[in-house]
Short mmCIF file of all heavy atoms in Angstrom, two decimals:
data_model
loop_
_atom_site.label_atom_id
_atom_site.label_comp_id
_atom_site.label_asym_id
_atom_site.label_seq_id
_atom_site.Cartn_x
_atom_site.Cartn_y
_atom_site.Cartn_z
N ILE F 1451 -13.84 -4.58 1.50
CA ILE F 1451 -14.17 -3.70 2.63
C ILE F 1451 -13.68 -4.32 3.93
O ILE F 1451 -14.12 -5.42 4.30
CB ILE F 1451 -15.68 -3.44 2.70
CG1 ILE F 1451 -16.18 -2.86 1.38
CG2 ILE F 1451 -16.01 -2.52 3.86
CD1 ILE F 1451 -17.69 -2.71 1.30
N PRO F 1452 -12.80 -3.67 4.66
CA PRO F 1452 -12.34 -4.20 5.94
C PRO F 1452 -13.50 -4.42 6.91
O PRO F 1452 -14.45 -3.63 6.96
CB PRO F 1452 -11.38 -3.11 6.46
CG PRO F 1452 -10.88 -2.46 5.22
CD PRO F 1452 -12.05 -2.44 4.28
N THR F 1453 -13.43 -5.51 7.66
CA THR F 1453 -14.48 -5.85 8.61
C THR F 1453 -14.27 -5.11 9.93
O THR F 1453 -13.19 -4.59 10.22
CB THR F 1453 -14.49 -7.36 8.89
OG1 THR F 1453 -13.25 -7.71 9.55
CG2 THR F 1453 -14.62 -8.15 7.59
N GLU F 1454 -15.32 -5.10 10.75
CA GLU F 1454 -15.22 -4.48 12.07
C GLU F 1454 -14.17 -5.20 12.91
O GLU F 1454 -13.47 -4.57 13.72
CB GLU F 1454 -16.58 -4.51 12.77
CG GLU F 1454 -17.63 -3.63 12.13
CD GLU F 1454 -17.24 -2.16 12.10
OE1 GLU F 1454 -16.58 -1.71 13.06
OE2 GLU F 1454 -17.60 -1.46 11.13
N GLU F 1455 -14.05 -6.52 12.71
CA GLU F 1455 -13.04 -7.29 13.45
C GLU F 1455 -11.63 -6.84 13.07
O GLU F 1455 -10.73 -6.73 13.93
CB GLU F 1455 -13.21 -8.78 13.19
CG GLU F 1455 -14.45 -9.42 13.80
CD GLU F 1455 -15.73 -9.10 13.03
OE1 GLU F 1455 -15.63 -8.59 11.88
OE2 GLU F 1455 -16.82 -9.36 13.57
N GLU F 1456 -11.41 -6.58 11.77
CA GLU F 1456 -10.09 -6.13 11.31
C GLU F 1456 -9.78 -4.73 11.83
O GLU F 1456 -8.63 -4.43 12.20
CB GLU F 1456 -10.04 -6.17 9.79
CG GLU F 1456 -9.99 -7.58 9.24
CD GLU F 1456 -10.22 -7.66 7.74
OE1 GLU F 1456 -10.89 -6.78 7.18
OE2 GLU F 1456 -9.72 -8.62 7.12
N LEU F 1457 -10.79 -3.87 11.87
CA LEU F 1457 -10.58 -2.53 12.43
C LEU F 1457 -10.20 -2.63 13.90
O LEU F 1457 -9.27 -1.95 14.36
CB LEU F 1457 -11.85 -1.68 12.28
CG LEU F 1457 -12.42 -1.48 10.88
CD1 LEU F 1457 -13.64 -0.55 10.93
CD2 LEU F 1457 -11.38 -0.90 9.93
N ALA F 1458 -10.92 -3.46 14.64
CA ALA F 1458 -10.65 -3.60 16.07
C ALA F 1458 -9.27 -4.18 16.31
O ALA F 1458 -8.54 -3.74 17.22
CB ALA F 1458 -11.72 -4.48 16.72
N GLU F 1459 -8.88 -5.19 15.52
CA GLU F 1459 -7.55 -5.78 15.68
C GLU F 1459 -6.46 -4.77 15.38
O GLU F 1459 -5.43 -4.71 16.06
CB GLU F 1459 -7.39 -7.01 14.79
CG GLU F 1459 -6.05 -7.69 14.99
CD GLU F 1459 -5.90 -8.98 14.20
OE1 GLU F 1459 -6.81 -9.31 13.41
OE2 GLU F 1459 -4.86 -9.64 14.36
N GLY F 1460 -6.69 -3.96 14.33
CA GLY F 1460 -5.71 -2.93 14.00
C GLY F 1460 -5.50 -1.95 15.13
O GLY F 1460 -4.36 -1.62 15.49
N MET F 1461 -6.59 -1.49 15.73
CA MET F 1461 -6.47 -0.54 16.83
C MET F 1461 -5.82 -1.20 18.04
O MET F 1461 -5.00 -0.58 18.75
CB MET F 1461 -7.85 0.01 17.19
CG MET F 1461 -7.82 1.28 18.02
SD MET F 1461 -7.01 2.68 17.16
CE MET F 1461 -8.29 3.16 15.99
N ASN F 1462 -6.15 -2.47 18.29
CA ASN F 1462 -5.54 -3.19 19.40
C ASN F 1462 -4.04 -3.36 19.19
O ASN F 1462 -3.24 -3.20 20.14
CB ASN F 1462 -6.20 -4.56 19.57
CG ASN F 1462 -5.59 -5.36 20.71
OD1 ASN F 1462 -5.71 -5.00 21.88
ND2 ASN F 1462 -4.95 -6.47 20.38
N ASN F 1463 -3.63 -3.68 17.97
CA ASN F 1463 -2.19 -3.86 17.69
C ASN F 1463 -1.44 -2.54 17.85
O ASN F 1463 -0.29 -2.53 18.31
CB ASN F 1463 -2.00 -4.41 16.28
CG ASN F 1463 -2.39 -5.88 16.19
OD1 ASN F 1463 -2.35 -6.61 17.18
ND2 ASN F 1463 -2.77 -6.32 14.99
N LEU F 1464 -2.07 -1.44 17.47
CA LEU F 1464 -1.44 -0.13 17.69
C LEU F 1464 -1.32 0.18 19.18
O LEU F 1464 -0.31 0.72 19.64
CB LEU F 1464 -2.24 0.97 16.98
CG LEU F 1464 -2.08 1.05 15.46
CD1 LEU F 1464 -3.09 2.02 14.87
CD2 LEU F 1464 -0.66 1.46 15.08
N GLU F 1465 -2.35 -0.20 19.93
CA GLU F 1465 -2.31 0.03 21.37
C GLU F 1465 -1.17 -0.76 22.00
O GLU F 1465 -0.50 -0.28 22.93
CB GLU F 1465 -3.64 -0.37 22.00
CG GLU F 1465 -3.74 -0.08 23.48
CD GLU F 1465 -5.11 -0.40 24.05
OE1 GLU F 1465 -5.93 -1.02 23.35
OE2 GLU F 1465 -5.35 -0.03 25.22
N GLN F 1466 -0.93 -1.98 21.48
CA GLN F 1466 0.13 -2.82 22.01
C GLN F 1466 1.51 -2.19 21.82
O GLN F 1466 2.45 -2.50 22.56
CB GLN F 1466 0.09 -4.20 21.35
CG GLN F 1466 -1.15 -5.01 21.67
CD GLN F 1466 -1.32 -5.27 23.16
OE1 GLN F 1466 -0.39 -5.66 23.85
NE2 GLN F 1466 -2.53 -5.01 23.66
N CYS F 1467 1.66 -1.33 20.81
CA CYS F 1467 2.95 -0.64 20.62
C CYS F 1467 2.84 0.83 21.00
O CYS F 1467 3.55 1.68 20.46
CB CYS F 1467 3.47 -0.82 19.20
SG CYS F 1467 2.39 -0.23 17.90
N ALA F 1468 1.94 1.11 21.97
CA ALA F 1468 1.78 2.44 22.54
C ALA F 1468 1.47 3.51 21.48
O ALA F 1468 1.88 4.66 21.61
CB ALA F 1468 3.03 2.83 23.35
N PHE F 1469 0.75 3.10 20.44
CA PHE F 1469 0.36 4.02 19.36
C PHE F 1469 1.56 4.80 18.81
O PHE F 1469 1.47 6.00 18.55
CB PHE F 1469 -0.74 4.98 19.84
CG PHE F 1469 -2.06 4.31 20.05
CD1 PHE F 1469 -2.47 3.96 21.34
CD2 PHE F 1469 -2.89 4.00 18.99
CE1 PHE F 1469 -3.69 3.33 21.55
CE2 PHE F 1469 -4.11 3.37 19.19
CZ PHE F 1469 -4.52 3.04 20.47
N THR F 1470 2.66 4.08 18.64
CA THR F 1470 3.87 4.69 18.10
C THR F 1470 4.48 3.76 17.06
O THR F 1470 4.85 2.62 17.37
CB THR F 1470 4.90 4.95 19.22
OG1 THR F 1470 4.31 5.79 20.22
CG2 THR F 1470 6.13 5.65 18.65
N VAL F 1471 4.57 4.23 15.82
CA VAL F 1471 5.20 3.47 14.74
C VAL F 1471 6.06 4.43 13.92
O VAL F 1471 5.98 5.65 14.08
CB VAL F 1471 4.16 2.78 13.83
CG1 VAL F 1471 3.35 1.75 14.60
CG2 VAL F 1471 3.24 3.80 13.17
N ASP F 1472 6.86 3.87 13.05
CA ASP F 1472 7.65 4.71 12.15
C ASP F 1472 6.84 5.08 10.90
O ASP F 1472 6.71 6.25 10.56
CB ASP F 1472 8.95 3.99 11.76
CG ASP F 1472 9.88 3.80 12.94
OD1 ASP F 1472 10.44 4.80 13.40
OD2 ASP F 1472 10.02 2.65 13.40
N TYR F 1473 6.29 4.05 10.24
CA TYR F 1473 5.57 4.28 8.99
C TYR F 1473 4.20 3.62 9.02
O TYR F 1473 4.01 2.57 9.66
CB TYR F 1473 6.36 3.72 7.79
CG TYR F 1473 7.80 4.15 7.74
CD1 TYR F 1473 8.81 3.21 7.54
CD2 TYR F 1473 8.16 5.49 7.88
CE1 TYR F 1473 10.14 3.59 7.47
CE2 TYR F 1473 9.49 5.87 7.84
CZ TYR F 1473 10.47 4.93 7.63
OH TYR F 1473 11.78 5.31 7.58
N ILE F 1474 3.27 4.22 8.30
CA ILE F 1474 1.96 3.62 8.05
C ILE F 1474 1.81 3.46 6.55
O ILE F 1474 2.08 4.40 5.79
CB ILE F 1474 0.82 4.47 8.63
CG1 ILE F 1474 0.95 4.56 10.16
CG2 ILE F 1474 -0.54 3.90 8.24
CD1 ILE F 1474 -0.06 5.46 10.83
N VAL F 1475 1.41 2.27 6.11
CA VAL F 1475 1.15 2.02 4.68
C VAL F 1475 -0.28 1.53 4.54
O VAL F 1475 -0.71 0.62 5.26
CB VAL F 1475 2.15 1.00 4.08
CG1 VAL F 1475 3.55 1.58 4.03
CG2 VAL F 1475 2.15 -0.31 4.83
N SER F 1476 -1.02 2.14 3.63
CA SER F 1476 -2.43 1.80 3.46
C SER F 1476 -2.83 2.04 2.01
O SER F 1476 -2.08 2.67 1.24
CB SER F 1476 -3.31 2.63 4.40
OG SER F 1476 -3.21 4.02 4.10
N TYR F 1477 -3.99 1.56 1.66
CA TYR F 1477 -4.56 1.90 0.36
C TYR F 1477 -5.35 3.20 0.47
O TYR F 1477 -5.12 4.16 -0.25
CB TYR F 1477 -5.46 0.77 -0.15
CG TYR F 1477 -6.11 1.11 -1.47
CD1 TYR F 1477 -5.36 1.17 -2.64
CD2 TYR F 1477 -7.47 1.38 -1.56
CE1 TYR F 1477 -5.95 1.49 -3.86
CE2 TYR F 1477 -8.07 1.69 -2.77
CZ TYR F 1477 -7.31 1.75 -3.91
OH TYR F 1477 -7.88 2.09 -5.11
N GLU F 1478 -6.26 3.26 1.42
CA GLU F 1478 -7.04 4.47 1.66
C GLU F 1478 -6.25 5.44 2.54
O GLU F 1478 -5.47 5.02 3.39
CB GLU F 1478 -8.35 4.12 2.37
CG GLU F 1478 -9.31 3.28 1.57
CD GLU F 1478 -10.16 4.09 0.61
OE1 GLU F 1478 -9.96 5.32 0.54
OE2 GLU F 1478 -11.02 3.50 -0.06
N PRO F 1479 -6.46 6.75 2.38
CA PRO F 1479 -5.91 7.72 3.32
C PRO F 1479 -6.90 7.96 4.45
O PRO F 1479 -8.08 7.59 4.34
CB PRO F 1479 -5.77 8.99 2.46
CG PRO F 1479 -6.91 8.88 1.49
CD PRO F 1479 -7.10 7.40 1.22
N PRO F 1480 -6.47 8.60 5.54
CA PRO F 1480 -7.43 8.99 6.57
C PRO F 1480 -8.41 10.04 6.02
O PRO F 1480 -8.15 10.68 5.00
CB PRO F 1480 -6.55 9.56 7.68
CG PRO F 1480 -5.25 9.89 7.03
CD PRO F 1480 -5.09 8.95 5.89
N ALA F 1481 -9.53 10.22 6.71
CA ALA F 1481 -10.64 11.02 6.17
C ALA F 1481 -10.25 12.44 5.80
O ALA F 1481 -10.61 12.94 4.73
CB ALA F 1481 -11.78 11.03 7.19
N LYS F 1482 -9.51 13.12 6.66
CA LYS F 1482 -9.18 14.52 6.37
C LYS F 1482 -8.25 14.63 5.16
O LYS F 1482 -8.36 15.58 4.38
CB LYS F 1482 -8.56 15.19 7.60
CG LYS F 1482 -9.57 15.48 8.69
CD LYS F 1482 -8.98 16.34 9.79
CE LYS F 1482 -10.05 16.69 10.82
NZ LYS F 1482 -9.49 17.53 11.92
N ILE F 1483 -7.36 13.69 5.00
CA ILE F 1483 -6.48 13.69 3.83
C ILE F 1483 -7.28 13.33 2.58
O ILE F 1483 -7.08 13.89 1.51
CB ILE F 1483 -5.30 12.71 4.03
CG1 ILE F 1483 -4.48 13.10 5.25
CG2 ILE F 1483 -4.41 12.68 2.79
CD1 ILE F 1483 -3.88 14.49 5.19
N SER F 1484 -8.23 12.43 2.73
CA SER F 1484 -9.10 12.08 1.61
C SER F 1484 -9.89 13.29 1.14
O SER F 1484 -10.02 13.55 -0.06
CB SER F 1484 -10.06 10.96 2.02
OG SER F 1484 -10.94 10.63 0.97
N GLU F 1485 -10.41 14.07 2.07
CA GLU F 1485 -11.17 15.27 1.72
C GLU F 1485 -10.27 16.30 1.04
O GLU F 1485 -10.69 16.99 0.11
CB GLU F 1485 -11.82 15.84 2.97
CG GLU F 1485 -12.96 14.97 3.49
CD GLU F 1485 -13.39 15.31 4.90
OE1 GLU F 1485 -12.88 16.32 5.45
OE2 GLU F 1485 -14.23 14.57 5.46
N PHE F 1486 -9.02 16.38 1.48
CA PHE F 1486 -8.06 17.28 0.83
C PHE F 1486 -7.81 16.83 -0.60
O PHE F 1486 -7.81 17.65 -1.53
CB PHE F 1486 -6.75 17.29 1.62
CG PHE F 1486 -5.63 18.02 0.92
CD1 PHE F 1486 -5.55 19.40 0.97
CD2 PHE F 1486 -4.66 17.33 0.20
CE1 PHE F 1486 -4.52 20.08 0.32
CE2 PHE F 1486 -3.64 17.98 -0.45
CZ PHE F 1486 -3.57 19.37 -0.39
N MET F 1487 -7.62 15.53 -0.80
CA MET F 1487 -7.36 15.00 -2.13
C MET F 1487 -8.57 15.19 -3.05
O MET F 1487 -8.43 15.37 -4.26
CB MET F 1487 -7.01 13.52 -2.06
CG MET F 1487 -5.75 13.20 -1.27
SD MET F 1487 -4.25 13.82 -2.05
CE MET F 1487 -4.17 12.80 -3.51
N GLU F 1488 -9.76 15.14 -2.46
CA GLU F 1488 -10.98 15.28 -3.25
C GLU F 1488 -11.48 16.72 -3.29
O GLU F 1488 -12.64 16.98 -3.60
CB GLU F 1488 -12.07 14.38 -2.67
CG GLU F 1488 -11.75 12.89 -2.70
CD GLU F 1488 -11.78 12.32 -4.10
OE1 GLU F 1488 -12.33 12.99 -4.99
OE2 GLU F 1488 -11.26 11.20 -4.30
N LEU F 1489 -10.60 17.66 -2.96
CA LEU F 1489 -10.92 19.10 -3.01
C LEU F 1489 -12.14 19.45 -2.17
O LEU F 1489 -13.04 20.19 -2.60
CB LEU F 1489 -11.12 19.55 -4.46
CG LEU F 1489 -9.90 19.33 -5.39
CD1 LEU F 1489 -10.26 19.74 -6.80
CD2 LEU F 1489 -8.69 20.10 -4.88
N GLY F 1490 -12.17 18.91 -0.95
CA GLY F 1490 -13.22 19.26 0.00
C GLY F 1490 -14.43 18.36 -0.05
O GLY F 1490 -15.30 18.45 0.82
N LYS F 1491 -14.53 17.49 -1.02
CA LYS F 1491 -15.67 16.58 -1.11
C LYS F 1491 -15.68 15.66 0.10
O LYS F 1491 -14.66 15.05 0.43
CB LYS F 1491 -15.59 15.76 -2.39
CG LYS F 1491 -16.70 14.73 -2.54
CD LYS F 1491 -16.50 13.92 -3.81
CE LYS F 1491 -17.53 12.82 -3.93
NZ LYS F 1491 -17.33 11.99 -5.15
N SER F 1492 -16.81 15.56 0.77
CA SER F 1492 -16.90 14.73 1.96
C SER F 1492 -17.75 13.50 1.66
O SER F 1492 -18.96 13.58 1.49
CB SER F 1492 -17.52 15.52 3.12
OG SER F 1492 -17.60 14.71 4.28
N ASP F 1493 -17.11 12.35 1.53
CA ASP F 1493 -17.80 11.10 1.26
C ASP F 1493 -17.09 10.00 2.03
O ASP F 1493 -16.55 9.06 1.47
CB ASP F 1493 -17.81 10.82 -0.25
CG ASP F 1493 -18.66 9.60 -0.60
OD1 ASP F 1493 -19.53 9.26 0.21
OD2 ASP F 1493 -18.44 9.01 -1.67
N ARG F 1494 -17.10 10.13 3.34
CA ARG F 1494 -16.34 9.23 4.19
C ARG F 1494 -16.91 7.82 4.17
O ARG F 1494 -18.11 7.62 4.23
CB ARG F 1494 -16.35 9.74 5.63
CG ARG F 1494 -15.57 11.01 5.88
CD ARG F 1494 -15.43 11.25 7.36
NE ARG F 1494 -14.69 12.49 7.64
CZ ARG F 1494 -14.19 12.79 8.84
NH1 ARG F 1494 -14.37 11.95 9.84
NH2 ARG F 1494 -13.55 13.92 9.02
#
Side-chain angles (χ1 to χ4, degrees):
I1451 303 174
T1453 65
E1454 293 299 326
E1455 290 77 13
E1456 289 168 333
L1457 302 183
E1459 183 176 5
M1461 197 62 76
N1462 180 66
N1463 287 334
L1464 285 171
E1465 184 176 10
Q1466 295 301 313
C1467 58
F1469 290 100
T1470 302
V1471 296
D1472 294 289
Y1473 309 131
I1474 297 176
V1475 293
S1476 63
Y1477 178 71
E1478 295 278 2
K1482 287 189 176 179
I1483 301 300
S1484 178
E1485 290 165 6
F1486 171 81
M1487 298 293 292
E1488 298 289 344
L1489 301 177
K1491 177 182 176 182
S1492 181
D1493 186 22
R1494 291 191 181 194

